[in-house]
Amino acid sequence: MKIIIHDSTFDSWRTHARSLLEEKIHFDDIVWQASSGGSFFDHVDVSDRKKSSALNIPREFIEEAQFVSAFRDESTWNLLYKLAYRIVYFDRNLMSMALDNDVLDFQRRMKLVSRDLHKMKAFVRFREIKKDDESIYMAWHRPDHRVLKFSAPFFTDRFNGMNWAIFTEEESMSWINNKLEFGPGISQREAEAFDSTEELWKTYYASIFNPGRVKIKMMKSELPVRHWKTLPEAELIDQLIAEAPARLDAFYESQRPSALQWVPKEATLSELRAALPNCSACVNCSRATAPVFGEGPETARIVFVGEQPGNEEDLNGSPFIGPAGQLLMEALEIAGILRSEVYLTNAVKSFKWKDQNGFRKHVNPTASDIAACRPWLKSELDIVRPHILVCLGASAAQSVFGKMMKVGDSHGKVFQTSFSDKTIILSHPSAILRMPNPEEKERLFNQFVGDIVALKDLSDQLIQ
Ligand code: URA
């Protein structure tokens, strides 16, 4: 029997599991043990053995296993290794065996972790702590499983414009000046010392409470009583149920990230362009090479608004020069429109991406990214005031209209917006590029060209 001492993190499990699998060590011959526990047996330290590419474990399993590894029970590591072993040496499609006991156990744990993550998102309550002129929002929560890291995308998106920290007994996570960091945990007693006035805490809760959103019965049935103890606002609930939830919207509005404070008032296009790199309304700017401002003459009669710069636009600092931009240029050329006579810009000014095997893969901007960047677009459009405003795709339309618009339903329609009496919505050229079927791709491209020709005709009529 080998005792594997590891630090109960997925990365450490994976490093050990890889070496053990390479050596074909059977799952029944291993016991996984958390490093703090100590051991009477000789333990095997395989953490620095070289990695192998020979093991072919489906990526999906690794991703799900990472999630399941949050399940707070040491037997989880055994289960994950057993499944990995069976996948590698017996059945690559094991995870699709719906009645296999190990698979069922895996799914059960996944469901419980997922439920716990959901609870964390619903029940974390921040308390505002004022320090000098700044506020930091603190929360302490006791999840059943190790879900803190998995909740990071939710909290960074929802509370993007605030500085906050969430503590659990084992670990903590903070978002200070748009930077996410993980650290050690603290006990509930220490957490309470953050704030001597529960009143602040309650006021905060009162400001976000929305009876329509939070189902009290569900809260009571879903949330173990011990969580209620950590919610001083519990005593306010009855009173709050009776009150109107209007403050919720105002609260979220005030917390929403916005570029507004960085956008100079009554500025020219070149002053706006010069001010853009200072903006730190959202985290995307800091991850991009540099934000990409619009390009084209102030007198342009037609404005095209895209979603956000892509990889090439990010590296070169100009909008619409990558593959989607080239397709747009092709359509403009066929319609007899010069790039230099139109104004090209984007709803979001910085390239949002994630790492995928060393490549920067485009990530769609969220509604919050679009709203945060909107003051830049608004200022550009207020200056150019185009005859025709073209929204390329749903993100552009969302920014221009201030709400979600269905691209398909809007085809051929002309809308009046505060920026232009002739606002139209077309598919984004990248949707054409992504189309796998060549005939359908050609049909979409021809339709796109037809739309651009039609808007050129419309523009010509408007100046006659
Ligand atoms: N796609 C966009 O939406 N904008 C660009 O600038 C490039 C690609």
Side-chain angles (χ1 to χ4, degrees), residues 306-310 313 319-320 324-325 346 428:
E307 181 193 71
Q308 61 172 338
E313 287 82 9
F320 290 104
N346 283 298
H428 194 283

Side-chain angles (χ1 to χ4, degrees), residues 201-221:
W201 185 214
K202 289 176 186 171
T203 312
Y204 171 82
Y205 180 71
S207 70
I208 65 162
F209 187 83
N210 179 346
R213 199 169 62 102
V214 181
K215 305 266 185 298
I216 296 305
K217 212 164 137 219
M218 184 276 288
M219 271 171 88
K220 284 182 173 159
S221 68

Side-chain angles (χ1 to χ4, degrees), residues 120-129 136-140 151 154-156 158-160 162-167 173-175 195 198 200-208 230-233 251-252 255:
M120 170 146 193
K121 291 175 189 172
F123 297 118
V124 157
R125 297 281 180 270
F126 289 104
R127 57 181 84 185
E128 184 184 18
I129 312 290
I136 175 159
Y137 293 84
M138 303 276 205
W140 190 88
S151 71
F154 171 83
F155 286 106
T156 52
R158 171 67 67 88
F159 299 109
N160 192 288
M162 300 156 51
N163 288 332
W164 51 257
I166 301 175
F167 295 85
M173 150 173 104
S174 66
W175 177 253
D195 181 11
E198 290 281 274
L200 253 184
W201 185 214
K202 289 176 186 171
T203 312
Y204 171 82
Y205 180 71
S207 70
I208 65 162
T230 73
L231 299 177
E233 68 271 23
F251 177 79
Y252 277 135
Q255 300 305 324

Side-chain angles (χ1 to χ4, degrees), residues 100-161:
D100 182 277
N101 279 340
D102 294 330
V103 174
L104 284 171
D105 193 7
F106 181 87
Q107 283 166 351
R108 180 184 65 86
R109 291 176 200 230
M110 182 145 72
K111 202 177 278 172
L112 290 170
V113 171
S114 176
R115 194 178 294 168
D116 199 38
L117 178 59
H118 165 76
K119 277 181 198 156
M120 170 146 193
K121 291 175 189 172
F123 297 118
V124 157
R125 297 281 180 270
F126 289 104
R127 57 181 84 185
E128 184 184 18
I129 312 290
K130 284 201 186 299
K131 236 181 130 245
D132 305 326
D133 267 355
E134 291 189 1
S135 284
I136 175 159
Y137 293 84
M138 303 276 205
W140 190 88
H141 182 74
R142 185 190 283 140
D144 290 331
H145 301 289
R146 299 183 201 98
V147 291
L148 184 74
K149 283 197 173 76
F150 296 102
S151 71
F154 171 83
F155 286 106
T156 52
D157 194 45
R158 171 67 67 88
F159 299 109
N160 192 288

Side-chain angles (χ1 to χ4, degrees), residues 272-329:
L272 289 171
R273 173 192 289 275
L276 178 62
N278 301 327
C279 180
S280 58
C282 71
V283 73
N284 300 331
C285 298
S286 60
R287 299 198 70 229
T289 307
V292 177
F293 195 68
E295 219 172 76
E298 192 177 315
T299 52
R301 290 195 293 272
I302 307 175
V303 169
F304 288 92
V305 182
E307 181 193 71
Q308 61 172 338
N311 188 47
E312 295 188 38
E313 287 82 9
D314 174 75
L315 295 174
N316 294 286
S318 278
F320 290 104
I321 55 166
Q326 283 163 23
L327 194 135
L328 175 63
M329 293 313 127

Side-chain angles (χ1 to χ4, degrees), residues 331-351:
L332 291 188
E333 198 179 336
I334 297 172
I337 302 175
L338 296 174
R339 178 182 173 113
S340 58
E341 63 183 317
V342 297
Y343 189 85
L344 300 163
T345 189
N346 283 298
V348 172
K349 304 303 181 200
S350 287
F351 179 36

Side-chain angles (χ1 to χ4, degrees), residues 213-257:
R213 199 169 62 102
V214 181
K215 305 266 185 298
I216 296 305
K217 212 164 137 219
M218 184 276 288
M219 271 171 88
K220 284 182 173 159
S221 68
E222 271 224 342
L223 193 67
V225 173
R226 62 190 167 78
H227 283 294
W228 282 95
K229 291 198 197 114
T230 73
L231 299 177
E233 68 271 23
E235 66 196 62
L236 283 176
I237 284 176
D238 288 343
Q239 176 197 336
L240 288 162
I241 288 173
E243 285 180 7
R247 278 172 298 176
L248 181 78
D249 289 346
F251 177 79
Y252 277 135
E253 204 46 58
S254 70
Q255 300 305 324
R256 207 166 270 168

